């Protein structure tokens, strides 16, 4: 009668365990790896292009190749000829580790979650997005950018710095400008911005006017995408790294005029200025306002 011995059982387990797991096919599929190495060196193909092309042209069967991920693993292990990780342009730029975003607990005011969902439809006039465009990384002037969500009308104002007091003072001056003096509360109904410290005091606007200020979630620039899109437009004329104080006020005004008179497909090829004037006209109860110094013919 056979009896169980722990030593024999452990030995059998160790022998079977050696056969577990996926084995490296580098030797058995050497012809395909030579093909990849040649295309990579001579034609500068990506590893995925080598795999896809080999299958598309029928040069190799599915059982004769390895997948793209395995090819990258072979590069890491040094099994793919002369190809190294440094030779793969995106390999050294991509971060393989999972990104852990630290939660920002700072709350400056009313969250965007409290904003009326109907604002997303862009059917109602008077809802704005706000941001700052910086110049060189030093104590430099900055550019305050406001964009109305429905009409895409932009307002640009140079500020001497990005302190919260300076930003708040800019809105107070905007309140006194001729174009908004009689209808500020109708034109500026809501304002959506980010959680930057420069906007920490914007919630004080609610004490002076009917405007409601909302703060987007941290690291969610898509929540004020209209503003981000316009920042890209203005960067055509204000390249990063250039000092904002090198651009005179007249230059900024011309950029603002260009953006506001540019026909937009999303507006039926009307200009933001034209759409904005129509809505401001309604807000001012029949009193036509000159918004940018250029009166458009009806």
């Amino acid at each position: 009668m056979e009896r169980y011995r722990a030593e024999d059982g452990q030995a059998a387990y160790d022998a079977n365990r050696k056969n577990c797991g996926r084995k490296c096919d580098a030797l058995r599929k050497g012809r395909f790896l030579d093909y990849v190495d040649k295309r990579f060196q001579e034609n500068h193909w990506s590893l995925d292009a080598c795999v896809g092309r080999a299958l598309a042209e029928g040069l190799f069967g599915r059982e004769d190749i390895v997948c793209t991920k395995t090819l990258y693993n072979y590069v890491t292990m040094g099994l793919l000829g002369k190809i190294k990780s440094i030779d793969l342009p995106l390999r050294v730029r991509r971060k393989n580790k999972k990104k852990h975003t630290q939660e920002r607990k700072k709350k400056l005011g009313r969250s965007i979650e409290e904003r009326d969902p109907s604002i997303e439809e862009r059917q109602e006039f008077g809802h704005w997005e706000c941001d700052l465009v910086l110049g060189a990384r030093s104590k430099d002037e900055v550019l305050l950018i406001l964009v109305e969500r429905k009409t895409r009308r932009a307002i640009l104002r140079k500020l001497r710095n990005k302190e919260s007091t300076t930003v708040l003072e800019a809105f107070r001056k905007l309140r006194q400008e001729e174009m908004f003096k009689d209808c500020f509360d109708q034109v500026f109904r809501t304002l959506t911005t980010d959680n930057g410290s420069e906007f920490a005091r914007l919630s004080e606007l609610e004490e002076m006017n009917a405007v409601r200020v909302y703060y987007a979630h941290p690291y969610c620039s898509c929540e004020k995408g209209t503003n981000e899109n316009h920042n890209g437009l203005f960067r055509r004329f204000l390249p990063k790294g250039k000092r904002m104080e090198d651009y005179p006020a007249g230059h900024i005004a011309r950029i603002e005029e260009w953006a506001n008179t540019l026909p937009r497909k999303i507006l039926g090829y009307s200009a933001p200025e034209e759409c904005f004037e129509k809505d401001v006209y309604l807000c001012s109860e029949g009193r036509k306002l000159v918004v940018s110094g250029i009166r458009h013919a009806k």
Side-chain angles (χ1 to χ4, degrees):
M1 183 179 68
E2 295 184 0
R3 297 181 61 183
Y4 173 78
R5 296 179 67 245
E7 295 81 359
D8 294 339
Q10 183 64 38
Y13 168 79
D14 292 338
N16 294 331
R17 193 71 179 87
K18 292 180 180 179
N19 297 322
C20 294
R22 192 171 184 177
K23 300 300 182 292
C24 179
D25 287 342
L27 294 178
R28 192 166 63 87
K29 299 179 180 179
R31 194 168 68 91
F32 171 69
L33 298 184
D34 292 339
Y35 166 82
V36 172
D37 184 67
K38 182 178 180 180
R39 292 302 177 207
F40 183 87
Q41 301 293 348
E42 296 182 2
N43 303 101
H44 307 289
W45 287 6
S46 67
L47 299 186
D48 184 68
C50 295
V51 175
R53 192 70 172 183
L55 290 175
E57 293 184 345
L59 301 178
F60 298 90
R62 174 66 67 176
E63 67 282 357
D64 299 322
I65 69 172
V66 296
C67 66
T68 302
K69 187 177 186 304
T70 301
L71 279 180
Y72 276 97
N73 291 339
Y74 285 178
V75 171
T76 303
M77 293 186 290
L79 301 178
L80 203 57
K82 299 180 180 179
I83 304 177
K84 307 299 180 185
S85 292
I86 193 66
D87 300 324
L88 306 175
L90 296 181
R91 185 68 179 274
V92 294
R93 290 167 53 187
R94 290 175 175 169
K95 296 182 179 179
N96 295 326
K97 294 184 178 180
K98 185 177 180 180
K99 184 177 180 180
H100 297 279
T101 303
Q102 184 178 2
E103 181 181 358
R104 293 184 61 180
K105 297 182 180 180
K106 179 176 63 176
K107 291 186 177 181
L108 301 179
R110 188 180 287 105
S111 170
I112 193 174
E113 295 178 0
E114 303 177 43
R115 195 177 70 175
D116 191 339
S118 64
I119 296 177
E120 291 291 333
E121 300 175 5
R122 301 177 186 267
Q123 298 299 314
E124 187 178 43
F125 174 73
H127 304 290
W128 297 74
E129 296 177 6
C130 172
D131 199 5
L132 286 185
V133 168
L134 308 181
R137 293 181 176 272
S138 62
K139 293 183 179 180
D140 185 21
E141 294 181 346
V142 298
L143 193 64
L144 175 66
I145 298 180
L146 297 169
V147 183
E148 204 280 319
R149 288 176 54 84
K150 178 185 176 183
T151 64
R152 275 71 173 181
R153 210 282 191 184
I155 297 175
L156 280 65
R157 295 291 183 270
K158 284 185 70 175
L159 308 182
R160 63 180 181 274
N161 55 52
K162 61 174 185 176
E163 295 180 1
S164 59
T165 304
T166 306
V167 174
L168 180 62
E169 183 62 26
F171 278 93
R172 288 174 176 169
K173 291 181 179 180
L174 188 67
R175 174 73 173 83
Q176 301 301 321
E177 291 185 11
E178 184 66 29
M179 67 180 75
F180 302 125
K181 184 181 298 184
D182 298 328
C183 58
F184 186 87
D185 290 341
Q186 290 75 34
V187 174
F188 291 86
R189 298 181 181 180
T190 69
L191 181 66
T192 303
T193 185
D194 55 43
N195 284 268
S197 59
E198 60 270 19
F199 300 121
R201 297 188 59 185
L202 279 188
S203 56
E204 297 180 22
L205 287 174
E206 299 181 357
E207 302 174 4
M208 301 179 290
N209 308 285
V211 62
R212 288 292 172 264
V213 180
Y214 298 94
Y215 292 90
H217 294 103
Y219 313 110
C220 294
S221 58
C222 59
E223 292 180 341
K224 52 185 189 68
T226 305
N227 197 282
E228 296 295 334
N229 180 59
H230 280 72
N231 288 354
L233 289 178
F234 299 139
R235 280 298 187 188
R236 299 182 186 180
F237 309 95
L238 305 167
K240 290 184 178 181
K242 298 292 185 179
R243 297 180 64 86
M244 203 64 65
E245 62 185 20
D246 293 338
Y247 299 100
H251 182 75
I252 301 299
R254 287 192 293 273
I255 296 174
E256 179 180 340
E257 180 181 344
W258 170 82
N260 291 328
T261 55
L262 178 67
R264 309 289 181 90
K265 180 179 180 180
I266 200 169
L267 300 176
Y269 295 102
S270 295
E273 185 82 16
E274 298 169 339
C275 298
F276 186 77
E277 281 196 0
K278 293 177 182 178
D279 283 299
V280 170
Y281 179 83
L282 297 176
C283 290
S284 60
E285 298 178 349
R287 294 190 297 272
K288 182 70 179 292
L289 299 180
V290 178
V291 198
S292 68
I294 303 176
R295 187 183 297 273
H296 296 275
K298 288 279 185 183

